[in-house]
Amino acid sequence: ETLEHRYAATDQKLTGLLNEYQQKNKAYNTRTALTTQAQALTTKTGDLDDRMKELAARRAHLKKTVALLDDTGDYSTLKKAYETAENTLTHLTAATSNTTERIQQAETDLETATAATSPWETQEEAEQHLTATTRVLEETQQEHSTILEEIHAKQGLIMSLTDAINSITSVTGECPTCHQSIRDKENVIAGLTTQRETAQQETEEQQQTLTKITQTIENLNNNIATAQAAVEGFTRASETRATLTGLRDELKRLRKEKTAAEVDVNVHRDMYNEAKHTKSIKDDLAGVNRDYQAAHTAHTTTSRELADIKHALSGVPTVTEKTLETLDGRITKGRSIAAALQQN
């Protein structure tokens, strides 16, 4: 056998080894990758199994809880009813407070009006006093006018007498009226002087009387003002009492409605809280159902992917690292032999 034949045989064998190595290395890499994917999917499937078991247990517990709950009604309807009841109570509370303040103000007004009615016991008494005092005032004012006119008349007389006395006592000594000489001037002057003094005395007395009457008129006006204020006080007091009666009736009604509204709020609050609790549990159950469905879908998808990979693995030859190392050694040896033959 020649060297050429030996080299050709060695080269042919080496080519076969290289092809075998490539095929087995490819199978090794493919199987390794698929095995890694299969392991990851197996782990994921296990995690999803645990998740589904946990969710199934929670779902079962929530279903039992929901089954034990009473039918609390529609949550939105109960919430609206509760809010309406609260708004009604808030309105009644404010109205009650406002009416109470109005009653307190009316009571103060009544005290003020009642104080103005003193010293009369009834409005009729005050009105009678007002009428009588007004009549007395009118009479007194008339008397005042009469006396004032008399004073003015006497003052005019005094001035005339003074002029006459001055005229007679002058150098001419004439009568101030007829301008004739007057005999016995002393007796005439004495008579005129006596008349003037009498008129002055009467004027002074009337002035004193007028001063007293002026004070009386002032007192009567004050008395009338007091009586008028009392009449108005009686009127205001009567009106305020009527207002107070209405306000107290209103307060009684508001307190009754407020008490009923408080009960209504408590009832609706309890119903709303129960409905809210029920809704919370049902929302939890719906969430668990969604999570379970998502986990189940993911588990189905993962299981299908894992089955596909396992099927793919069944078609890939099993190649170990030892097999590849052996082939690699044979290839290395073949290359050495081929190189030695080529040199010879």
Side-chain angles (χ1 to χ4, degrees):
E1 187 177 17
T2 64
L3 287 173
E4 289 80 3
H5 284 98
R6 289 177 62 190
Y7 178 78
T10 300
D11 185 63
Q12 184 179 6
K13 187 175 182 180
L14 182 59
T15 300
L17 288 171
L18 287 170
N19 289 334
E20 181 182 358
Y21 182 85
Q22 289 176 351
Q23 291 173 359
K24 289 186 176 182
N25 187 60
K26 181 179 179 181
Y28 175 81
N29 290 334
T30 300
R31 192 171 187 86
T32 299
L34 290 173
T35 299
T36 301
Q37 293 180 34
Q39 289 174 346
L41 289 174
T42 299
T43 300
K44 184 177 180 180
T45 301
D47 292 340
L48 289 170
D49 282 334
D50 293 340
R51 175 66 171 161
M52 289 172 64
K53 288 177 182 178
E54 176 192 352
L55 291 172
R58 287 182 59 194
R59 181 171 63 179
H61 172 71
L62 289 172
K63 282 183 176 180
K64 288 180 180 179
T65 302
V66 170
L68 294 174
L69 293 173
D70 294 331
D71 183 10
T72 55
D74 181 64
Y75 170 77
S76 298
T77 301
L78 290 172
K79 180 182 179 182
K80 185 176 180 181
Y82 172 54
E83 290 174 346
T84 300
E86 273 199 325
N87 290 335
T88 299
L89 178 59
T90 299
H91 170 74
L92 288 171
T93 300
T96 300
S97 177
N98 177 262
T99 302
T100 300
E101 291 176 359
R102 290 172 63 194
I103 287 174
Q104 292 172 346
Q105 182 59 52
E107 289 174 342
T108 299
D109 293 342
L110 179 59
E111 290 178 2
T112 302
T114 302
T117 63
S118 179
W120 295 279
E121 295 294 330
T122 65
Q123 184 170 350
E124 184 180 0
E125 291 178 359
E127 289 174 344
Q128 290 175 352
H129 181 83
L130 177 62
T131 300
T133 305
T134 301
R135 184 170 59 252
V136 172
L137 174 64
E138 292 172 353
E139 294 172 353
T140 305
Q141 288 174 332
Q142 182 60 45
E143 182 182 0
H144 182 279
S145 298
T146 300
I147 293 175
L148 189 59
E149 289 175 1
E150 291 176 355
I151 289 174
H152 288 162
K154 282 185 171 59
Q155 287 175 339
L157 175 61
I158 292 169
M159 290 178 63
S160 297
L161 291 170
T162 300
D163 290 341
I165 292 169
N166 291 335
S167 177
I168 293 171
T169 55
S170 65
V171 177
T172 60
E174 295 179 345
C175 175
T177 304
C178 62
H179 301 290
Q180 296 296 323
S181 296
I182 297 176
R183 298 176 182 177
D184 196 13
K185 290 192 293 183
E186 288 78 7
N187 290 332
V188 173
I189 291 172
L192 291 175
T193 300
T194 300
Q195 291 181 39
R196 185 177 66 178
E197 290 175 352
T198 300
Q200 288 174 337
Q201 179 64 34
E202 291 174 351
T203 300
E204 290 177 1
E205 291 175 356
Q206 286 180 319
Q207 285 283 11
Q208 293 175 358
T209 301
L210 192 65
T211 300
K212 293 179 181 180
I213 291 175
T214 300
Q215 183 60 51
T216 299
I217 290 174
E218 182 179 350
N219 293 339
L220 287 170
N221 279 323
N222 291 336
N223 202 313
I224 287 173
T226 301
Q228 183 63 48
V231 171
E232 294 174 357
F234 278 115
T235 300
R236 289 199 311 274
S238 178
E239 293 172 349
T240 305
R241 286 191 186 94
T243 299
L244 271 172
T245 298
L247 287 173
R248 285 165 179 160
D249 289 342
E250 181 181 358
L251 182 61
K252 187 184 298 182
R253 175 184 63 79
L254 286 171
R255 283 175 173 171
K256 184 176 180 180
E257 291 181 3
K258 181 172 176 286
T259 299
E262 289 171 346
V263 173
D264 197 38
V265 165
N266 290 333
V267 170
H268 280 88
R269 182 190 293 116
D270 292 342
M271 293 174 64
Y272 168 64
N273 286 336
E274 289 178 6
K276 184 165 64 173
H277 176 64
T278 299
K279 181 178 182 297
S280 176
I281 294 176
K282 288 182 177 179
D283 287 346
D284 287 346
L285 177 58
V288 169
N289 283 332
R290 287 193 298 270
D291 292 344
Y292 182 88
Q293 186 59 45
H296 182 271
T297 300
H299 187 277
T300 300
T301 301
T302 304
S303 297
R304 184 168 55 250
E305 291 175 355
L306 181 58
D308 292 342
I309 289 176
K310 287 181 178 180
H311 178 72
L313 276 172
S314 66
V316 179
T318 301
V319 178
T320 64
E321 290 184 7
K322 182 64 176 175
T323 299
L324 291 176
E325 290 174 358
T326 300
L327 281 173
D328 185 62
R330 292 173 64 189
I331 290 170
T332 300
K333 183 177 179 181
R335 284 174 176 170
S336 298
I337 292 172
L341 289 174
Q342 193 176 21
Q343 289 178 358
N344 293 330

